[in-house]
Amino acid sequence: MADRHVAHLLIGGGLASANCARWLREEGADGEILLVGRETDPPYNRPPLTKGYLQGKELREDAYFRPDGWWREQRVELKTRTSVMKLDTSAKEATLSTKEVVSFDTALVATGANVRRLPAEGSELDGIHYMRAFGNSDAIRADAAGRRVVLIGGSYIGCEVAASLTAIGAQATIVMMEEVTLERGFGKRAGGFFQKTLEDHGVRVVAGDRLARFEAGESGRVGAVVTERGERIEADAVVIGAGVAPDVMLARSAGLALDEELGGIRCDSRLRTSAEAVYAAGDVAAYDSVVHGRRIRVEHWDVAFNQGKTAALNMLGRDVAHEVVPYFFSDLADWASLEYVGPAASWDREVVRGSLEDGSFSVWYLDGGRVAGALSVGRSDDLEEARRLIAARVALDDGEQERLGDAASDLAAIGAR
Ligand SMILES: Cc1cc2nc3c(=O)[nH]c(=O)nc-3n(C[C@H](O)[C@H](O)[C@H](O)COP(=O)(O)OP(=O)(O)OC[C@H]3O[C@@H](n4cnc5c(N)ncnc54)[C@H](O)[C@@H]3O)c2cc1C
């Protein structure tokens, strides 16, 4: 027997839940909305944790989802420092860590993701960090500002943190398995541009190598990183960016269908899970994308934000597919900003529009002649056309593919059928 009833229960105190709450109200929900999150802060944006907030240029409140107290204005009950421990989808009840049992009409599971931990000798030493929450960003700045820091991983977290810490006086070294930074998402050519940008600003990159172990320094804290090739890099702090795994613990115990390959909660195009009236959104949602014609799961801010809205509309019975083309952004301090739409699962051709040398270009990732993704540095307008072409899924002929790379040609005319 439940202690109380709410119309909408939002599980997870991150971006997807927060935007869902907002849109539930803005679209006319009049019942109780309860948002339950494990963290101590109200819902916030994580991107500043590796950028302005890490550099000390932005305040904590600047990263909040909306101005402090937004939930009160929108009559959303926010419970921070509270976990949902159990979800009974047939009774439509959830048990909170406070022992309270809450029944609901609809629920959203937006439990996000957890960092992947790297097991290595010495990984228990102080000074070794991961990056997910405010507390991590605070601790990294305290340990690494103005000192020697090693980043393990050459993807977004490693590159962004290396840039931000360098901008506040650290000496940063990236150790990564890849040959070129960010190559998994953007290929070697664009990845090379970002790596050169980092190196030009003093970041050292150790490529094609792996972490072997950590060594303690004199203080008993981490003192060095040793790689598999045997390089020993002295460090006052280490930040590991080895990816994340969606947090499906609650979903699994609730018996929700999971997508084992993509590693998230299986959803249809409406973000409905396998349980009636239970939806999922954000990092944890593996959804049938009508844009891509396949199931995908994306760990990007814009996707969590927009899926929060789609879930809200469907929780109100609107029956709308999630049709937003996934978008991603990243900054290397104030040295370079990138934007990307896609995501391309694979590609067989890259076409560059503009000039990498001038730092103003877009890269078009083609798969069998179709635009699968596009990256922009300083050419945001190109992404509007890329969105159109990704959603259209039309195979471009050779002439059209060539014209993508001709900055004088009209992108709007390409792929128009
Ligand atoms: C440091 C960092 C920088 C990033 N930078 C960028 C960027 O530049 N560009 C970009 O596009 N994306 C970026 N991202 C990704 C983006 O922030 C995420 O995709 C987004 O936060 C996902 O939102 P979410 O609501 O799905 O999950 P989260 O933000 O992870 O929120 C989920 C919340 O649910 C809580 N929770 C889990 N289980 C329970 C439970 N049982 N009960 C209660 N609460 C629970 C978690 O503690 C967490 O607070 C970044 C991510 C990180 C970590």
Side-chain angles (χ1 to χ4, degrees):
M1 181 63 187
D3 298 307
R4 60 181 288 204
H5 181 80
V6 298
H8 309 289
L9 173 66
L10 313 181
I11 304 171
L15 179 64
S17 274
N19 207 33
C20 180
R22 167 196 169 180
W23 281 102
L24 281 168
R25 274 292 175 247
E26 293 197 4
E27 288 292 318
D30 51 12
E32 275 186 63
I33 301 173
L34 173 61
L35 196 164
V36 182
R38 186 187 281 162
E39 293 188 57
T40 50
D41 286 279
Y44 58 92
N45 298 310
R46 297 187 193 275
L49 305 185
T50 45
K51 306 177 185 69
Y53 183 75
L54 180 61
Q55 292 173 50
K57 294 200 298 201
E58 284 171 37
L59 298 173
R60 208 172 177 94
E61 293 74 32
D62 296 335
Y64 284 174
F65 168 65
R66 296 180 93 186
D68 206 5
W70 64 269
W71 58 91
R72 281 187 287 274
E73 275 166 34
Q74 289 204 293
R75 290 185 297 116
V76 173
E77 185 184 351
L78 172 65
K79 276 189 191 290
T80 53
R81 300 171 197 244
T82 309
S83 293
V84 173
M85 310 299 286
K86 192 174 159 221
L87 178 62
D88 180 339
T89 59
S90 35
K92 290 198 190 166
E93 283 180 359
T95 308
L96 314 190
S97 48
T98 54
K99 304 274 187 294
E100 200 176 9
V101 178
V102 181
S103 61
F104 55 82
D105 296 330
T106 69
L108 176 78
V109 182
T111 45
N114 295 316
V115 296
R116 272 188 217 283
R117 302 213 160 247
L118 277 192
E121 188 186 327
S123 57
E124 73 293 344
L125 290 166
D126 281 346
I128 299 173
H129 302 271
Y130 290 84
M131 176 64 102
R132 184 78 197 169
F134 267 135
N136 302 123
S137 191
D138 293 336
I140 291 168
R141 183 167 4 120
D143 264 11
R147 306 172 79 188
R148 297 164 305 177
V149 59
V150 175
L151 297 305
I152 310 290
S155 196
Y156 312 112
I157 297 286
C159 291
E160 288 193 0
V161 173
S164 289
L165 291 177
T166 302
I168 55 169
Q171 292 160 254
T173 303
I174 295 176
V175 174
M176 60 183 192
M177 297 187 301
E178 301 91 322
E179 284 171 38
V180 175
T181 54
L182 299 171
E183 73 169 76
R184 284 195 201 147
F186 308 135
K188 287 202 165 50
R189 187 165 19 179
F193 169 84
F194 297 118
Q195 182 162 325
K196 182 168 183 311
T197 302
L198 289 163
E199 289 173 336
D200 286 350
H201 287 87
V203 177
R204 185 172 166 240
V205 179
V206 177
D209 203 353
R210 285 166 185 263
L211 165 71
R213 63 176 191 280
F214 299 106
E215 285 183 2
E218 279 173 15
S219 56
R221 294 166 48 87
V222 69
V225 169
V226 180
T227 72
E228 281 190 353
R229 285 207 306 248
E231 185 166 348
R232 186 177 176 283
I233 306 158
E234 296 201 344
D236 302 303
V238 171
V239 182
I240 300 177
V244 296
D247 187 340
V248 292
M249 201 153 93
L250 180 72
R252 194 185 292 281
S253 68
L256 295 180
L258 305 180
D259 183 314
E260 296 298 344
E261 204 182 318
L262 296 173
I265 302 172
R266 207 172 75 201
C267 304
D268 68 6
S269 61
R270 271 73 179 153
L271 306 181
R272 287 183 292 229
T273 69
S274 57
E276 199 231 313
V278 179
Y279 296 76
D283 284 3
V284 82
Y287 72 107
D288 289 333
S289 169
V290 292
V291 171
H292 302 83
R294 60 186 156 94
R295 189 174 299 143
I296 61 172
R297 192 179 65 75
V298 187
E299 295 156 359
H300 294 164
W301 184 94
D302 192 68
V303 176
F305 182 79
N306 284 304
Q307 287 190 343
K309 179 176 180 183
T310 303
L313 295 175
N314 286 318
M315 289 163 86
L316 294 172
R318 303 286 163 80
D319 192 26
V320 290
H322 186 70
E323 289 181 327
V324 185
V325 177
Y327 165 85
F328 170 75
F329 59 91
S330 177
D331 297 332
L332 301 180
D334 53 10
W335 315 331
S337 290
L338 68 88
E339 297 172 280
Y340 175 83
V341 289
S346 58
W347 63 93
D348 50 34
R349 184 169 182 199
E350 293 176 11
V351 178
V352 176
R353 189 176 179 90
S355 155
L356 273 81
E357 289 68 38
D358 297 344
S360 173
F361 62 90
S362 53
V363 182
W364 299 73
Y365 300 90
L366 299 167
D367 189 15
R370 294 184 172 82
V371 175
L375 166 73
S376 151
V377 174
R379 291 187 64 97
S380 297
D381 290 351
D382 289 1
L383 296 188
E384 258 328 296
E385 297 305 328
R387 282 189 179 90
R388 173 181 62 82
L389 289 166
I390 290 168
R393 283 195 268 157
V394 287
L396 305 180
D397 61 34
D398 287 346
E400 288 176 313
Q401 293 183 33
E402 289 302 319
R403 292 213 306 282
L404 285 176
D406 173 5
S409 71
D410 179 13
L411 277 177
I414 297 176
R417 300 279 189 273

